[in-house]
Amino acid sequence: MNVKLRVWRQKNNDSEGKFEEYEAKNLNPNMSFLEMMDVVNEDLTNAGEDPVAFAHDCREGICGTCSCMIDGKPHGPETGVATCQTYMRSFKDGDTITVEPFKAEAFPVVKDLVTDRAAFDKIQQAGGFISVRTGSAPDANSIPVGKEVADLAMDAAACIGCGACVAACKNSSAMLFVSAKAGQLNMLPQGKPEKDRRTLAMVAAMDEAGFGNCTNQYECSAACPKLISEEFISKLNRDYIAASVKSVFKAQAL
Amino acid sequence: MKFDSKIPSGPLKDKWKNHIASGKLVNPANKRKYDIIIVGSGLAGASAAATLGELGYKVKCFSFHDSPRRAHSIAAQGGINAAKNYQNDGDSVHRLFYDTIKGGDYRSREANVHRLAEVSVNIIDQCAAQGVPFAREYGGTLANRSFGGAQVSRTFYARGQTGQQLLLGAYSALSRQIGLGTVEMFCNREMLELVVIDGEAKGIITRNLNTGEIERHSAHAVVLGTGGYGNVFNLSTYARNSNATAAWRAYRKGATFANPCYTQIHPTCIPVSGDYQSKLTLMSESLRNDGRIWAPKNRGDKRPPSEIPEEERDYYLERKYPSFGNLAPRDISSRAAKEACDDGRGVGETGLGVYLDFSDAISRLGEDTIRERYGNLFDIYKEITNESAYEVPMRIFPAVHYTMGGLWVDYNLMSNLPGLFVMGEANFSDHGANRLGASALMQGLADGYFVLPYTIPHYLADVPREAAPSTESAEFQEAEEAVRDRTDKFLSNKGSQTVKSFHKRLGDIMWNYCGMARTKEGLEKAIELISQLREEFWQDVRVPGEGKELNQSLEQAGRVGDFLELGELMCRDALTREESCGGHFREEHQYPDGEARRDDENFAHVAAWEFKGDNKIPERHTEALDYEETKFTTRSYK
Amino acid sequence: MNILQILFQTSLGKKYVMAVTGLILVGFIIGHLVGNLQIFFPPDNINAYAHFLQGLGGALWLVRFALLAALILHVYVSIRLVLENKAARGGSGYADQKTLKASYASRTMKYSGPIVFFFILYHLLHFTVRGDFLGATVPETTLADGTPVHDIHSMMVIAFQDVWVSLAYIFSIGLLSVHLSHGLSSMFQSLGLRTRTWSSVLQKAAVVVSVLYFLGNLAIPAAVMAGAVKVQNPDAIVASACAACDACPIAKGLVVVSEEANP
Ligand SMILES: Cc1cc2nc3c(=O)[nH]c(=O)nc-3n(C[C@H](O)[C@H](O)[C@H](O)COP(=O)(O)OP(=O)(O)OC[C@H]3O[C@@H](n4cnc5c(N)ncnc54)[C@H](O)[C@@H]3O)c2cc1C
Ligand code: HEM
Ligand code: HEM
Ligand code: SF4
Ligand code: F3S
Ligand code: FES
């Protein structure tokens, strides 16, 4: 099969970007989208042009590096997959495919299709952890965790930090990511002691980074390669009310 | 060169305890005065950086990834071993130790392996406390599965994403320290040189992958947790960007490289479908618990599997290894698959594949049970091949998956270069000639959380408590120059062939001559071909773009350049190791029934290679492996 | 952080303000609709009701202030949300962005809202202001017990006899209903009260309520135009008839009909 590509080329965040058109010829439908991009880049290199920069690593949907807006949907037409798990059989022969980077004020473009998602790390550094000194942990079975809770926590923990939620959200809100991260830890008994601090700190860091406000449109969960549910956003809203009230009234344990 | 493994005296089970008890300490007030560079933020790097930062050292952590959370460790699926005996099935530290020694085909250090088994239990406690969502029983206790042919259920897992969850746990600990300011994180930085001052590792040169800036960083000690080198083969289950550059640069600066030829080939991966292929995807080994592996009995049988009658199918693993059957260890199952395909009985359009058949399991347990157990794996398979494994058998083929070899380290994880420490897959120490399933995650975290933090003071305590060496010193100048020259060479070369094309060609050579089965002739040929290819590479490689910006071709060029040297060393090691053991199979050395023949007389040792200069033959040193506790037995899974 | 910072500086705080003010407004409009539906009963009902409201005096103003405050906050925060969210995308935005799941209503809140806002202004001038401050032109009548009251019943009917007025109302109320179809469930999500167990029920309920709300409001102008509800106060009929010709001083409100009508 053959396709036409409209690819966003941008030298860096300061320079203006624009679309370039490329042809990708006699492709195998079982090729992954990124393998198709590899082929295009080989051709560009051989033609003495600058290949298209795109982010990728594991190529099996787990590292969260790949991040292309394909035909207006993060990670391409299929649901519940990352860009690297998108295969050419999802497109028709002769299609024109538009490829853009994930765009958000908090995700500056590095080059072409590569965006800088360090803002996510900042949020994690603010509170995305359970403070436990190495070696100080009690026996693992001394903290029982009901299967249901463990499974829910795992649903949230499946987040690969790709940023598709931000890319898909009309408001560039990072709520799905933050709620998944905070939700996982807030749900587990191990995470309870730091729950309020964590919730306040992570939301503060999220706002600090310049993401938009969630207006409950649920585009994020629809675009999420791990289909993380928006109910974690609801939970974050809930946890944040509790945390705020306690902090406003300086509530003491006793 | 003298190889002192610094294994503590005393009975095996007390070595580690005594070592800690008698070990030197750095007093808390002084820890701040020591800068430690950690290259890598995978399981090993992240856990070490978090722990050392927490202890009070001044840590600088580097990763070429855009976030620590993306390290290749994230891809691990199956699980992590620990001698918890939560299942009450008779597991113990000693049993895990023994299984690992035996699985490694008696080519690993007893003391290291025993220590690994000891700390394995602390790892699970640590991770659970961090909020890693391990699978649980309804009662709330941790669940286990048996994995990789182990006879006890000692594998802890988090769905099919154990590596991801463990890495995110370590990443959260690291993030906490970064937030507290005890660790300074440098993402998008690739280490391109090691700086050695007066014979000791004191710094690194990095390139900022986004801006092209070349930077100098000095410290009192340098720690590498930079992962394995399986991408020498181009096609592997490794993440596309995994590479050996950090380790290789250290090797060229005097650190010895141990057992480079020990590579693990994983039996259950999705076969190659075309030459555009960029990576091979692993299908978790757990599939072998219910799937039956077979190939047609007749050569060139191109009928669809459904039309091949039972009696014309060869369930070769069950035939050859009645007691372990489809659960035979990785190296054995992989080689058996290769034999079938070499014999012209391979399936799929490439003829490089065998069937992993679930029809029996489905009729026995019902499709729902199978879907519940392996649903996500079947989905992955469908997504990639567009075939439903519920209807037709999966096609699988072995693929490069792990490298047991790595930089040589002593019991303290320090290489022969003082001040250079190596952890995780990047070192050679614990898996011998073959790694058991679910043991790499264990080793990475053991090294980072529980070993290095105790052993690094042994070195630091004797390092004068003055500021780390100035980055203006001649050695730093030199190292930076070297990096600049290399980069400029690539960009100004204006050759005619792409980096990828060279990587592909190297991969083919390695796979054909240094893959699952190796011969003297093949290896000699490979060494020849690789050095020619290397020549051609430096003559004719084309690297587009500039150095002062994100330039992925340039990154790849550097990595492939190093692979072209490492590949040759692997072949040399394979050539000189005149025996078959674990992941290293020499066709000359096998029993009549095709089983690997070890030579414990002459090869019960570690081979550590020393760099002698470009295009000079490296020197092979050996460290004898003496076994106090276990006695050599032929690994039999019949 | 103090409570104000949380409510107006943080992204989640702003959502809470939207939700709570939204809830208050919802409470009002539904109560208001119920009140208005009395138009289908004999005039005395609604007139008495209106009279009762007027009678509240201080209390009424309290309620009015509360509503006004809610509306102002709701509008103020919504404007900030819209601006911040636009800024958060930054740069040129996407050349092409699909919509996967977001409902039409959820994407048009920022349009339906303001229109409703202007409707409210118009509506206040149309009825309340005129009724309360230029009371003169509101027809008067007496309840069964003889208390003199504004004849709200006639006022409404007369108003909706004008096709354009009716259409304006129907249009605005349509938009408000769309606004609600998202808002009603959205506010639960914002307050963290939306969970897996009932989110689908909630969504359906929101739509049902919005539709009912629309039909309820639609009924009033529709009934009037269809002639199902007529002015029943003779004076009002005269008044409106006269209002047509400007020769007559009555229409200009120089003379008040009702005083002669009942001595
Ligand atoms: C598909 C797959 C499945 C697996 N499943 C399992 C399993 O089920 N159980 C198990 O025990 N093991 C499993 N393994 C093996 C295991 O995942 C790895 O061996 C282990 O994670 C290696 O961890 P590491 O920290 O040593 O290295 P990595 O995780 O590879 O981390 C390397 C780090 O070093 C950095 N780095 C490398 N070079 C440089 C440089 N030059 N400059 C700067 N930074 C650099 C990288 O950025 C990265 O942060 C699996 C492996 C694969 C490929
Ligand atoms: C009687 C009139 C109104 C009612 C009953 C009402 C009700 C609501 C409700 C319940 C919500 C959902 C809040 C949430 O998602 O948490 C909402 C959201 C919204 N309203 Fe209104 N509203 C009214 C008037 C207005 C006006 C006048 C404007 C603007 C000028 C407006 C703009 C918005 C916007 C932009 C939102 C979306 C914000 C968000 O979802 O976070 N609304 N409204
Ligand atoms: C068919 C629809 C409606 C009719 C017939 C109607 C009728 C009226 C009448 C007669 C009054 C004057 C009451 C008095 O002066 O005592 C009034 C007041 C008011 N209406 Fe409506 N209304 C309608 C819809 C709405 C809607 C949709 C809103 C809001 C979005 C609204 C908001 C108000 C407000 C705020 C007042 C002022 C209340 C007060 O006096 O404090 N109305 N309405
Ligand atoms: S929530 Fe989903 S979309 Fe957002 S970062 Fe995580 S995985 Fe990606
Ligand atoms: S799409 Fe955006 S608006 Fe909220 S629910 Fe998801 S973040
Ligand atoms: S490349 Fe790792 S998720 Fe796509």
Side-chain angles (χ1 to χ4, degrees):
Chain A
M1 64 189 283
N2 306 321
V3 295
K4 226 202 219 77
L5 293 169
R6 270 178 75 231
V7 181
W8 183 260
R9 303 301 308 262
Q10 184 172 346
K11 196 161 175 40
N12 55 45
N13 204 45
D14 313 323
S15 57
E16 279 299 306
K18 63 170 174 0
F19 280 102
E20 294 281 356
E21 299 231 336
Y22 304 107
E23 305 268 324
K25 289 210 163 49
N26 43 50
L27 308 164
N28 178 327
N30 287 330
M31 252 179 177
S32 77
F33 179 82
L34 292 184
E35 283 164 349
M36 181 275 294
M37 293 294 285
D38 289 338
V39 172
V40 171
N41 276 345
E42 285 294 276
D43 297 351
L44 284 172
T45 311
N46 288 322
E49 290 176 51
D50 194 19
V52 180
F54 62 88
H56 69 95
D57 195 22
C58 74
R59 298 213 176 190
E60 54 185 65
I62 194 71
C63 74
T65 310
C66 59
S67 46
C68 293
M69 189 83 169
I70 303 169
D71 283 338
K73 178 180 175 301
H75 295 312
E78 309 297 330
T79 50
V81 298
T83 302
C84 57
Q85 297 166 292
T86 298
Y87 287 79
M88 294 313 288
R89 67 181 93 95
S90 305
F91 303 91
K92 289 194 306 308
D93 188 21
D95 278 359
T96 299
I97 307 173
T98 304
V99 194
E100 298 179 78
F102 286 0
K103 287 183 178 172
E105 199 58 21
F107 285 172
V109 172
V110 176
K111 185 183 176 188
D112 299 342
L113 302 174
V114 182
T115 42
D116 176 357
R117 289 160 288 180
F120 275 4
D121 292 319
K122 283 252 166 305
I123 295 172
Q124 291 288 76
Q125 288 154 19
F129 49 76
I130 290 173
S131 304
V132 47
R133 195 165 256 293
T134 305
S136 69
D139 181 274
N141 266 350
S142 66
I143 324 165
V145 181
K147 190 172 186 312
E148 294 78 3
V149 176
D151 287 347
L152 268 177
M154 184 62 219
D155 291 344
C159 165
I160 59 174
C162 62
C165 44
V166 176
C169 175
K170 309 263 189 251
N171 311 325
S172 312
S173 164
M175 277 296 268
L176 192 62
F177 169 77
V178 177
S179 65
K181 290 293 162 197
Q184 177 204 344
L185 301 180
N186 286 353
M187 208 155 17
L188 293 166
Q190 304 93 300
K192 288 277 186 291
E194 282 171 300
K195 187 173 178 221
D196 295 335
R197 270 207 64 265
R198 173 183 307 119
T199 308
L200 294 172
M202 289 179 82
V203 170
M206 170 180 79
D207 293 348
E208 172 72 16
F211 291 104
N213 307 282
C214 171
T215 62
N216 309 335
Q217 297 188 343
Y218 315 140
E219 289 288 280
C220 48
S221 44
C224 173
K226 299 297 165 197
L227 297 175
I228 291 179
S229 159
E230 68 264 13
E231 55 192 275
F232 288 107
I233 295 179
S234 179
K235 175 177 168 54
L236 181 61
N237 290 332
R238 192 161 62 239
D239 292 350
Y240 193 76
I241 292 180
S244 315
V245 171
K246 287 190 218 161
S247 80
V248 166
F249 296 107
K250 314 237 168 347
Q252 302 287 325
L254 226 178
Chain B
M1 193 185 288
K2 166 97 187 57
F3 280 86
D4 177 3
S5 58
K6 302 227 181 63
I7 294 174
S9 54
L12 185 62
K13 60 181 207 332
D14 300 336
K15 287 184 192 291
W16 180 231
K17 283 192 217 65
N18 298 344
H19 194 59
I20 294 175
S22 63
K24 300 201 187 97
L25 296 175
V26 175
N27 98 41
N30 292 335
K31 291 204 177 86
R32 260 245 102 337
K33 304 204 176 88
Y34 289 113
D35 300 286
I36 300 175
I37 284 175
I38 294 179
V39 187
S41 61
L43 284 176
S47 54
T51 305
L52 292 173
E54 186 176 67
L55 285 168
Y57 295 100
K58 249 164 74 230
V59 177
K60 285 175 161 188
C61 184
F62 297 80
S63 168
F64 69 69
H65 286 97
D66 67 342
S67 160
R69 65 163 351 273
R70 307 216 193 276
H72 167 59
S73 296
I74 202 105
Q77 304 170 346
I80 177 169
N81 289 335
K84 279 285 197 185
N85 192 28
Y86 279 165
Q87 302 306 314
N88 189 32
D89 55 4
D91 196 13
S92 65
V93 166
H94 185 272
R95 189 179 292 275
L96 175 55
F97 155 77
Y98 179 76
D99 289 355
T100 310
I101 289 279
K102 180 185 176 210
D105 222 353
Y106 301 91
R107 289 295 176 263
S108 44
R109 277 194 203 130
E110 271 191 332
N112 288 56
V113 175
H114 199 277
R115 174 176 66 189
L116 178 61
E118 285 172 60
V119 302
S120 68
V121 296
N122 311 39
I123 296 173
I124 301 306
D125 298 342
Q126 185 65 28
C127 297
Q130 286 170 343
V132 170
F134 283 120
R136 300 269 174 169
E137 310 287 356
Y138 280 98
T141 55
L142 287 130
N144 292 102
R145 61 162 70 131
S146 107
F147 191 73
Q151 271 124 322
V152 291
S153 289
R154 64 161 71 102
T155 304
F156 294 79
Y157 61 100
R159 292 204 186 137
Q161 294 129 285
T162 316
Q164 176 195 31
Q165 293 313 315
L166 293 172
L167 179 61
L168 291 180
Y171 163 73
S172 71
L174 173 59
S175 298
R176 173 164 166 258
Q177 294 306 320
I178 296 170
L180 293 170
T182 64
V183 176
E184 194 181 353
M185 186 72 214
F186 296 83
C187 292
N188 304 302
R189 300 300 203 295
E190 183 153 50
M191 166 187 164
L192 295 176
E193 265 310 336
L194 177 73
V195 179
V196 178
I197 299 177
D198 310 331
E200 305 204 358
K202 290 297 171 207
I204 60 172
I205 306 293
T206 61
R207 176 171 183 272
N208 180 322
L209 300 183
N210 287 355
T211 66
E213 224 135 316
I214 308 288
E215 307 155 330
R216 308 174 180 187
H217 301 275
S218 84
H220 296 91
V222 177
V223 181
L224 302 186
T226 52
Y229 50 91
N231 275 344
V232 170
F233 291 82
N234 181 32
L235 285 184
S236 76
T237 63
Y238 283 69
R240 223 26 219 156
N241 296 318
S242 297
N243 68 83
T245 291
W248 194 250
R249 295 286 120 193
Y251 164 79
R252 293 175 57 97
K253 283 286 171 82
T256 54
F257 208 116
N259 303 335
C261 77
Y262 291 161
T263 50
Q264 179 167 84
I265 315 271
H266 196 290
T268 55
C269 302
I270 299 177
V272 178
S273 64
D275 67 347
Y276 49 77
Q277 192 102 13
S278 62
K279 89 156 266 166
L280 297 172
T281 305
L282 175 86
M283 288 277 100
S284 169
E285 212 155 15
S286 55
L287 287 170
R288 292 202 275 149
N289 293 335
D290 286 308
R292 296 180 68 197
I293 297 175
W294 63 274
K297 279 206 174 109
N298 321 332
R299 294 203 176 75
D301 187 337
K302 285 277 161 250
R303 286 174 296 175
S306 53
E307 291 172 21
I308 301 179
E310 203 56 30
E311 60 279 9
E312 292 181 37
R313 300 175 175 194
D314 175 15
Y315 295 88
Y316 54 81
L317 282 178
E318 297 169 18
R319 173 168 57 79
K320 292 180 168 170
Y321 309 98
S323 68
F324 275 70
N326 295 296
L327 291 174
R330 291 175 177 179
D331 51 341
I332 291 179
S333 339
S334 296
R335 212 156 44 240
K338 180 181 189 296
E339 280 161 14
C341 295
D342 292 350
D343 190 29
R345 300 188 288 121
V347 301
E349 66 271 20
T350 56
L352 292 176
V354 295
Y355 290 123
L356 177 56
D357 198 334
F358 287 86
S359 46
D360 288 8
I362 290 175
S363 49
R364 191 173 74 252
L365 305 160
E367 186 165 326
D368 295 348
T369 318
I370 296 301
R371 177 167 278 109
E372 192 198 293
R373 286 189 193 166
Y374 312 107
N376 60 332
L377 294 165
F378 280 38
D379 294 346
I380 298 175
Y381 184 77
K382 166 107 175 122
E383 179 186 290
I384 293 173
T385 61
N386 208 18
E387 289 173 8
S388 162
Y390 296 103
E391 287 134 33
V392 296
M394 279 187 183
R395 284 175 298 107
I396 55 164
F397 197 65
V400 176
H401 178 60
Y402 185 87
T403 51
M404 280 72 69
L407 291 176
W408 183 90
V409 291
D410 63 18
Y411 190 72
N412 292 324
L413 300 186
M414 187 161 85
S415 76
N416 57 297
L417 267 187
L420 178 68
F421 292 78
V422 191
M423 315 175 291
E425 191 173 348
N427 75 21
F428 87 104
S429 64
D430 298 1
H431 305 296
N434 173 56
R435 173 178 70 82
L436 289 182
S439 293
L441 299 179
M442 173 171 69
Q443 184 224 342
L445 290 177
D447 290 357
Y449 281 132
F450 299 110
V451 178
L452 187 77
Y454 286 107
T455 57
I456 204 168
H458 286 259
Y459 169 74
L460 288 177
D462 301 335
V463 173
R465 250 176 271 112
E466 58 222 18
S470 149
T471 52
E472 294 314 313
S473 65
E475 291 84 351
F476 272 94
Q477 301 276 9
E478 228 171 86
E480 176 171 341
E481 274 322 301
V483 170
R484 291 192 182 285
D485 295 348
R486 227 167 119 86
T487 320
D488 299 345
K489 169 90 182 75
F490 280 129
L491 292 167
S492 57
N493 196 44
K494 302 274 167 279
S496 69
Q497 302 176 61
T498 65
V499 175
K500 225 184 219 73
S501 64
F502 282 103
H503 198 178
K504 202 174 268 169
R505 284 162 68 190
L506 173 63
D508 293 343
I509 298 173
M510 293 303 293
W511 182 248
N512 294 334
Y513 302 110
C514 197
M516 271 180 285
R518 305 153 174 186
T519 64
K520 183 163 183 300
E521 300 65 36
L523 291 162
E524 281 162 344
K525 179 133 183 266
I527 293 170
E528 191 51 38
L529 291 170
I530 293 172
S531 51
Q532 286 166 9
L533 187 63
R534 195 166 54 235
E535 287 286 304
E536 190 180 338
F537 175 80
W538 287 102
Q539 299 287 322
D540 196 37
V541 69
R542 160 182 290 180
V543 181
E546 309 156 21
K548 281 246 142 291
E549 60 171 11
L550 174 64
N551 184 336
Q552 293 166 324
S553 313
L554 180 62
E555 296 164 24
Q556 279 309 320
R559 296 165 187 171
V560 172
D562 290 339
F563 284 146
L564 280 163
E565 296 173 13
L566 172 54
E568 181 179 329
L569 184 68
M570 290 166 71
C571 295
R572 285 195 189 287
D573 188 44
L575 187 61
T576 46
R577 186 166 284 276
E578 292 284 354
E579 66 165 347
S580 295
C581 59
H584 168 65
F585 186 82
R586 284 285 300 274
E587 291 185 356
E588 300 92 333
H589 305 289
Q590 55 181 305
Y591 292 100
D593 63 357
E595 291 310 315
R597 173 182 248 127
R598 268 197 345 252
D599 177 353
D600 298 328
E601 295 307 307
N602 307 305
F603 287 95
H605 61 235
V606 176
W609 295 82
E610 182 188 5
F611 181 69
K612 287 289 181 189
D614 282 306
N615 303 322
K616 295 216 181 59
I617 309 243
E619 186 180 348
R620 184 177 195 267
H621 304 275
T622 62
E623 173 207 336
L625 292 168
D626 26 31
Y627 283 74
E628 307 166 5
E629 192 85 4
T630 41
K631 54 201 100 21
F632 295 110
T633 56
T634 317
R635 217 166 48 127
S636 165
Y637 293 91
K638 284 192 180 286
Chain C
M1 278 198 297
N2 67 39
I3 187 83
L4 289 175
Q5 286 166 316
I6 290 175
L7 287 180
F8 295 98
Q9 301 305 330
T10 71
S11 52
L12 273 64
K14 291 183 212 120
K15 294 284 306 163
Y16 302 149
V17 175
M18 281 316 279
V20 173
T21 54
L23 180 65
I24 294 171
L25 293 171
V26 169
F28 166 75
I29 58 167
I30 291 187
H32 188 49
L33 171 61
V34 173
N36 291 337
L37 286 175
Q38 297 177 54
I39 195 163
F40 292 106
F41 300 114
D44 276 11
N45 298 52
I46 191 164
N47 289 343
Y49 163 69
H51 182 67
F52 161 74
L53 289 177
Q54 305 287 323
L56 291 176
L60 174 60
W61 280 104
L62 222 75
V63 176
R64 287 177 170 177
F65 276 124
L67 286 172
L68 190 66
L71 186 66
I72 289 170
L73 285 181
H74 192 82
V75 173
Y76 163 72
V77 174
S78 72
I79 291 169
R80 276 188 58 193
L81 287 175
V82 170
L83 296 180
E84 290 172 10
N85 291 346
K86 190 160 173 12
R89 176 63 73 217
S92 47
Y94 293 110
D96 153 12
Q97 183 180 24
K98 285 204 173 62
T99 294
L100 311 168
K101 194 162 156 196
S103 64
Y104 175 80
S106 73
R107 287 177 287 125
T108 51
M109 294 302 265
K110 54 174 167 300
Y111 308 113
S112 56
I115 296 173
V116 169
F117 180 69
F118 290 113
F119 162 78
I120 295 176
L121 293 185
Y122 161 74
H123 178 59
L124 289 182
L125 293 170
H126 187 211
F127 285 147
T128 321
V129 178
R130 203 173 64 174
D132 288 18
F133 306 102
L134 322 171
T137 56
V138 178
E140 298 290 322
T141 182
T142 52
L143 302 176
D145 62 10
T147 30
V149 294
H150 291 324
D151 184 356
I152 300 300
H153 184 274
S154 309
M155 178 180 80
M156 283 161 61
V157 177
I158 292 164
F160 289 124
Q161 277 165 347
D162 179 328
V163 180
W164 295 112
V165 173
S166 295
L167 289 180
Y169 267 78
I170 294 169
F171 171 71
S172 323
I173 284 162
L175 282 181
L176 177 56
S177 309
V178 173
H179 196 80
L180 291 182
S181 68
H182 172 65
L184 285 178
S185 64
S186 179
M187 63 190 175
F188 286 89
Q189 172 84 356
S190 300
L191 295 174
L193 302 173
R194 182 172 171 278
T195 64
R196 168 181 316 213
T197 39
W198 75 304
S199 54
S200 60
V201 182
L202 178 62
Q203 189 46 51
K204 293 188 190 72
V207 174
V208 171
V209 172
S210 313
V211 171
L212 288 178
Y213 178 77
F214 176 70
L215 296 178
N217 276 308
L218 176 68
I220 300 170
V224 172
M225 284 195 290
V229 178
K230 297 199 178 54
V231 183
Q232 299 171 29
N233 172 349
D235 304 349
I237 303 175
V238 179
S240 57
C242 301
C245 84
D246 42 14
C248 165
I250 299 171
K252 301 201 180 73
L254 303 177
V255 185
V256 178
V257 183
S258 52
E259 271 162 24
E260 283 131 54
N262 38 296

